[in-house]
Amino acid sequence: MRTLLCCLVLAALLGPCLACPSPCSCSTKKNGRLLAECAYKDLQDVPKGLSSNVTILTLSANRIGWVGQGSFAEVPEVQSLWLGYNQIGVVEPGAFALLVHLKNLDLSHNKIADFPWQDLRNLSGLQILKMNNNRLAGLSRDAFHSLKDLRSLWLNDNELTTLAEGTFDNLPSLSQLQIFNNPFNCSCKVFWLKKWTERTSVSITKGGSTLCVAPARLKGRAVTDIPDHHCVAPSVQLTYLSNLDNTVMYDGLTLTLHCSVAGSPPPEIRWKIQTSSRRIEINGPNVARDGNVKQSQEHFLVFKNGTMAIPNFSKEDEGTYTCLAVNDVGTRDVSVNVALAGSENPAEDLLRDDPHAGHLGGRSCYKGDEMDPSGVGEKLVIVYHMPRGSKSGAGGALQQVHLGTLLLALGIVLCW
């Protein structure tokens, strides 16, 4: 009787631990981990009735086509989850988010085109992630940023044409990366990948398999062989112009800035304007060749050659003007702070406020002087709005000298 009672007690204790769906076989490993082996069972769904303390769940080589938000709610302790060689085409958001103990996740050889990358944010202990042989056409730039322990990442044999710069940043433990057999478009958007592979210690499949499919001139070449001269980061300079060539002049004060850029491919020019009352972004020219303004920000006239004109510049337009040069390799910007002075003697005002300004030597002024783009800080330009009656004769010349002195004291030469 005592022996029978002991057996019943033992069965009561072990029963819940060894609960196992009928298609699967469950066993306890020497290290105490509970294995649920459900591979090659022709399953169409994740089976129900698994023990809550399963740490290894094998569901490979079945016919599972859908993974829902609650598919793994019964196995919160799982550390290794093998789902390779199924027919998974849909993964609902939240399907893996609660598996915080997960170390190995295999989703290879499925039909996944869209994956809820946000699910990986809680899986900081993940070490191996296999998503090869799927239909992934894109990745979120921060898809893997929380995976501090990730050692092996498999993305080969997908439909990736590009990767966002920084995709593999913040992965301090990464030692193996597979990205071969993807149809990469080797525009300058993936030039960063070449530079990253040159400096990283991560083991990557050799360039012969990581090939360009486009553009035509690079087809069949390795991503790591993209010529450097095809992709040059932007450079940008901001200058002041005294007038607008070949354009209609406007009454009143017109502030004119010119943004010169260089790079390969040719950078786009964008403007950001921050005043005390508003913030404006202008992405590209808004003035057509015939002079018509195409966009609503008609007060800020942006031309195709990189020139911006602000007719009737007033105190409301004071602020920071930033020119950005953007291409597939990167972005560069330069800013200038613009203020409008009302004094008839601005140089004297400056000398009174800054006793060191008077020690600066004279410089000649010419059209198109550069704003220093060194990045030390935003430069200050004070535009002096002279009364109409003082622009001619000796008085006008004196006012122009004062204006030049003021701007020299600021370290910037402007022409009026």
Side-chain angles (χ1 to χ4, degrees):
M1 179 63 71
R2 181 177 297 177
T3 302
L4 179 58
L5 181 60
C6 290
C7 291
L8 291 174
V9 171
L10 184 62
L13 292 174
L14 294 179
C17 298
L18 297 178
C20 196
S22 57
C24 307
S25 59
C26 301
S27 60
T28 303
K29 296 295 185 181
K30 292 181 179 179
N31 56 11
R33 294 181 180 178
L34 182 61
L35 166 65
E37 176 61 69
C38 309
Y40 296 95
K41 302 298 182 182
D42 206 33
L43 297 173
Q44 298 185 33
D45 298 290
V46 177
K48 301 297 182 181
L50 291 164
S51 297
S52 60
N53 58 350
V54 166
T55 55
I56 304 172
L57 177 56
T58 303
L59 290 164
S60 305
N62 282 291
R63 294 194 296 123
I64 299 171
W66 170 85
V67 177
Q69 185 174 2
S71 292
F72 304 105
E74 293 181 337
V75 288
E77 304 294 324
V78 69
Q79 298 179 18
S80 296
L81 180 56
W82 310 109
L83 286 160
Y85 292 93
N86 275 280
Q87 300 176 18
I88 300 172
V90 176
V91 180
E92 286 189 350
F96 302 103
L98 300 180
L99 303 182
V100 296
H101 301 286
L102 206 57
K103 295 182 178 180
N104 306 301
L105 176 59
D106 181 7
L107 288 163
S108 63
H109 296 271
N110 279 287
K111 301 177 180 180
I112 301 171
D114 188 19
F115 185 80
W117 301 107
Q118 65 273 16
D119 276 21
L120 302 182
R121 294 174 185 169
N122 296 330
L123 310 187
S124 58
L126 197 63
Q127 298 178 8
I128 297 175
L129 177 59
K130 293 186 176 183
M131 301 199 70
N132 52 293
N133 294 87
N134 274 285
R135 299 176 181 176
L136 297 173
L139 298 174
S140 169
R141 182 184 182 276
D142 59 353
F144 312 118
H145 277 199
S146 63
L147 306 182
K148 305 301 183 184
D149 292 338
L150 190 67
R151 295 186 284 107
S152 182
L153 177 59
W154 298 49
L155 295 169
N156 55 283
D157 292 277
N158 274 285
E159 299 178 8
L160 300 172
T161 59
T162 189
L163 290 169
E165 184 172 0
T167 298
F168 307 121
D169 290 350
N170 300 318
L171 297 176
S173 302
L174 190 65
S175 60
Q176 181 186 27
L177 174 65
Q178 307 283 14
I179 55 173
F180 58 88
N181 289 346
N182 277 290
F184 284 112
N185 182 342
C186 292
S187 68
C188 292
K189 290 183 179 180
V190 297
F191 185 69
W192 72 270
L193 184 59
K194 171 187 175 176
K195 294 300 183 182
W196 182 80
T197 58
E198 291 173 350
R199 67 177 184 269
T200 186
S201 60
V202 176
S203 176
I204 305 172
T205 300
K206 298 302 180 182
S209 298
T210 310
L211 304 179
C212 305
V213 172
R217 69 178 186 277
L218 296 177
K219 185 175 182 178
R221 294 183 64 171
V223 172
T224 53
D225 290 340
I226 300 175
D228 287 0
H229 67 272
H230 284 189
C231 303
V232 180
S235 61
V236 58
Q237 294 178 339
L238 189 57
T239 58
Y240 174 89
L241 299 179
S242 59
N243 57 33
L244 281 173
D245 295 334
N246 301 321
T247 61
V248 178
M249 293 302 296
Y250 299 88
D251 292 335
L253 173 64
T254 298
L255 174 66
T256 308
L257 300 172
H258 181 72
C259 188
S260 301
V261 300
S264 180
E268 298 178 2
I269 296 176
R270 303 174 185 174
W271 290 90
K272 290 185 178 181
I273 304 165
Q274 179 68 65
T275 69
S276 60
S277 60
R278 56 183 171 171
R279 180 181 180 87
I280 299 168
E281 294 187 10
I282 304 176
N283 297 325
N286 61 10
V287 179
R289 288 187 176 183
D290 58 7
N292 291 326
V293 180
K294 296 183 292 185
Q295 298 178 5
S296 60
Q297 297 296 344
E298 55 193 28
H299 184 58
F300 302 95
L301 305 178
V302 177
F303 298 83
K304 187 175 181 180
N305 67 350
T307 296
M308 173 188 283
I310 305 99
N312 298 311
F313 189 87
S314 67
K315 296 291 286 185
E316 293 181 355
D317 300 319
E318 291 182 332
T320 302
Y321 289 74
T322 302
C323 173
L324 299 93
V326 181
N327 69 7
D328 290 341
V329 187
T331 301
R332 185 77 186 274
D333 66 80
V334 61
S335 298
V336 60
N337 288 325
V338 181
L340 183 65
S343 169
E344 293 187 1
N345 230 338
E348 293 180 2
D349 290 345
L350 177 68
L351 293 174
R352 182 169 58 250
D353 296 335
D354 184 1
H356 300 291
H359 297 290
L360 295 176
R363 290 174 57 186
S364 61
C365 176
Y366 60 94
K367 176 181 175 182
D369 292 296
E370 289 185 10
M371 309 299 182
D372 180 6
S374 61
V376 173
E378 294 171 347
K379 301 302 178 181
L380 175 63
V381 175
I382 296 182
V383 180
Y384 176 57
H385 192 185
M386 292 177 289
R388 290 181 181 273
S390 64
K391 288 188 179 180
S392 60
L398 179 62
Q399 294 291 346
Q400 290 186 14
V401 171
H402 285 324
L403 176 60
T405 304
L406 168 65
L407 297 170
L408 278 170
L410 292 168
I412 300 173
V413 182
L414 299 183
C415 292
W416 184 252

Short mmCIF file of all heavy atoms in Angstrom, two decimals, residues 33 54-57 75-81 101-105 126:
data_model
loop_
_atom_site.label_atom_id
_atom_site.label_comp_id
_atom_site.label_asym_id
_atom_site.label_seq_id
_atom_site.Cartn_x
_atom_site.Cartn_y
_atom_site.Cartn_z
N ARG A 33 16.10 20.20 -18.75
CA ARG A 33 15.21 20.88 -19.68
C ARG A 33 14.19 19.90 -20.25
O ARG A 33 14.51 18.75 -20.53
CB ARG A 33 16.01 21.53 -20.82
CG ARG A 33 16.92 22.66 -20.34
CD ARG A 33 17.67 23.27 -21.53
NE ARG A 33 18.53 24.35 -21.10
CZ ARG A 33 19.32 25.04 -21.92
NH1 ARG A 33 19.34 24.72 -23.21
NH2 ARG A 33 20.08 26.00 -21.46
N VAL A 54 8.03 23.69 -20.71
CA VAL A 54 8.79 23.27 -21.89
C VAL A 54 9.84 24.33 -22.21
O VAL A 54 9.53 25.51 -22.30
CB VAL A 54 7.86 23.06 -23.10
CG1 VAL A 54 8.66 22.95 -24.39
CG2 VAL A 54 7.01 21.81 -22.90
N THR A 55 11.08 23.92 -22.38
CA THR A 55 12.15 24.85 -22.72
C THR A 55 12.68 24.64 -24.14
O THR A 55 13.33 25.52 -24.68
CB THR A 55 13.33 24.72 -21.72
OG1 THR A 55 13.77 23.35 -21.70
CG2 THR A 55 12.90 25.13 -20.32
N ILE A 56 12.40 23.48 -24.72
CA ILE A 56 12.80 23.22 -26.11
C ILE A 56 11.57 22.72 -26.85
O ILE A 56 10.99 21.69 -26.49
CB ILE A 56 13.92 22.15 -26.19
CG1 ILE A 56 15.13 22.57 -25.35
CG2 ILE A 56 14.35 21.94 -27.64
CD1 ILE A 56 16.20 21.49 -25.22
N LEU A 57 11.17 23.44 -27.89
CA LEU A 57 9.99 23.07 -28.66
C LEU A 57 10.37 22.95 -30.14
O LEU A 57 10.77 23.93 -30.77
CB LEU A 57 8.87 24.11 -28.49
CG LEU A 57 7.59 23.90 -29.29
CD1 LEU A 57 6.99 22.52 -29.01
CD2 LEU A 57 6.60 25.01 -29.00
N VAL A 75 3.77 28.08 -23.43
CA VAL A 75 5.18 27.73 -23.19
C VAL A 75 6.01 29.00 -22.94
O VAL A 75 6.96 29.30 -23.67
CB VAL A 75 5.76 26.93 -24.37
CG1 VAL A 75 5.19 25.52 -24.38
CG2 VAL A 75 5.47 27.64 -25.70
N PRO A 76 5.71 29.77 -21.90
CA PRO A 76 6.41 31.04 -21.66
C PRO A 76 7.88 30.87 -21.29
O PRO A 76 8.64 31.83 -21.34
CB PRO A 76 5.62 31.66 -20.50
CG PRO A 76 5.05 30.47 -19.77
CD PRO A 76 4.72 29.48 -20.84
N GLU A 77 8.28 29.63 -20.92
CA GLU A 77 9.66 29.39 -20.51
C GLU A 77 10.54 28.88 -21.65
O GLU A 77 11.72 28.61 -21.44
CB GLU A 77 9.70 28.36 -19.37
CG GLU A 77 8.86 28.73 -18.15
CD GLU A 77 9.41 29.95 -17.45
OE1 GLU A 77 10.66 30.09 -17.40
OE2 GLU A 77 8.61 30.76 -16.95
N VAL A 78 9.98 28.79 -22.85
CA VAL A 78 10.73 28.19 -23.95
C VAL A 78 11.99 29.00 -24.25
O VAL A 78 11.99 30.22 -24.27
CB VAL A 78 9.84 28.05 -25.20
CG1 VAL A 78 9.49 29.41 -25.80
CG2 VAL A 78 10.50 27.16 -26.24
N GLN A 79 13.09 28.25 -24.47
CA GLN A 79 14.38 28.87 -24.79
C GLN A 79 14.82 28.60 -26.22
O GLN A 79 15.54 29.41 -26.81
CB GLN A 79 15.46 28.36 -23.82
CG GLN A 79 15.19 28.72 -22.36
CD GLN A 79 16.26 28.18 -21.44
OE1 GLN A 79 17.36 27.84 -21.86
NE2 GLN A 79 15.94 28.10 -20.15
N SER A 80 14.40 27.48 -26.75
CA SER A 80 14.73 27.14 -28.14
C SER A 80 13.44 26.78 -28.87
O SER A 80 12.71 25.88 -28.44
CB SER A 80 15.71 25.95 -28.19
OG SER A 80 16.95 26.30 -27.58
N LEU A 81 13.17 27.48 -29.97
CA LEU A 81 11.95 27.29 -30.72
C LEU A 81 12.30 27.08 -32.19
O LEU A 81 12.84 27.97 -32.85
CB LEU A 81 11.03 28.51 -30.56
CG LEU A 81 9.69 28.49 -31.28
CD1 LEU A 81 8.87 27.26 -30.89
CD2 LEU A 81 8.91 29.77 -30.96
N HIS A 101 12.53 34.43 -22.55
CA HIS A 101 13.66 33.53 -22.26
C HIS A 101 14.25 32.93 -23.53
O HIS A 101 15.19 32.13 -23.45
CB HIS A 101 13.20 32.40 -21.32
CG HIS A 101 12.65 32.89 -20.02
ND1 HIS A 101 13.44 33.40 -19.01
CD2 HIS A 101 11.36 32.95 -19.56
CE1 HIS A 101 12.69 33.74 -18.00
NE2 HIS A 101 11.42 33.48 -18.30
N LEU A 102 13.74 33.33 -24.68
CA LEU A 102 14.14 32.71 -25.94
C LEU A 102 15.60 33.01 -26.25
O LEU A 102 16.05 34.16 -26.20
CB LEU A 102 13.24 33.23 -27.06
CG LEU A 102 13.04 32.35 -28.28
CD1 LEU A 102 12.49 30.98 -27.90
CD2 LEU A 102 12.12 33.04 -29.29
N LYS A 103 16.34 31.96 -26.59
CA LYS A 103 17.73 32.09 -27.00
C LYS A 103 17.95 31.68 -28.45
O LYS A 103 18.87 32.20 -29.10
CB LYS A 103 18.63 31.25 -26.09
CG LYS A 103 18.67 31.71 -24.65
CD LYS A 103 19.62 30.87 -23.82
CE LYS A 103 19.68 31.38 -22.37
NZ LYS A 103 20.61 30.54 -21.55
N ASN A 104 17.14 30.76 -28.94
CA ASN A 104 17.29 30.27 -30.31
C ASN A 104 15.93 30.30 -31.00
O ASN A 104 14.97 29.71 -30.51
CB ASN A 104 17.83 28.84 -30.33
CG ASN A 104 19.12 28.70 -29.55
OD1 ASN A 104 20.11 29.35 -29.83
ND2 ASN A 104 19.10 27.84 -28.52
N LEU A 105 15.86 30.97 -32.14
CA LEU A 105 14.61 31.04 -32.90
C LEU A 105 14.92 30.74 -34.37
O LEU A 105 15.68 31.46 -35.02
CB LEU A 105 13.97 32.43 -32.77
CG LEU A 105 12.69 32.67 -33.60
CD1 LEU A 105 11.61 31.67 -33.22
CD2 LEU A 105 12.20 34.10 -33.41
N LEU A 126 18.21 36.65 -26.96
CA LEU A 126 18.28 35.86 -28.18
C LEU A 126 19.72 35.79 -28.70
O LEU A 126 20.41 36.80 -28.82
CB LEU A 126 17.38 36.48 -29.25
CG LEU A 126 17.01 35.60 -30.44
CD1 LEU A 126 16.19 34.40 -29.98
CD2 LEU A 126 16.24 36.39 -31.48
#
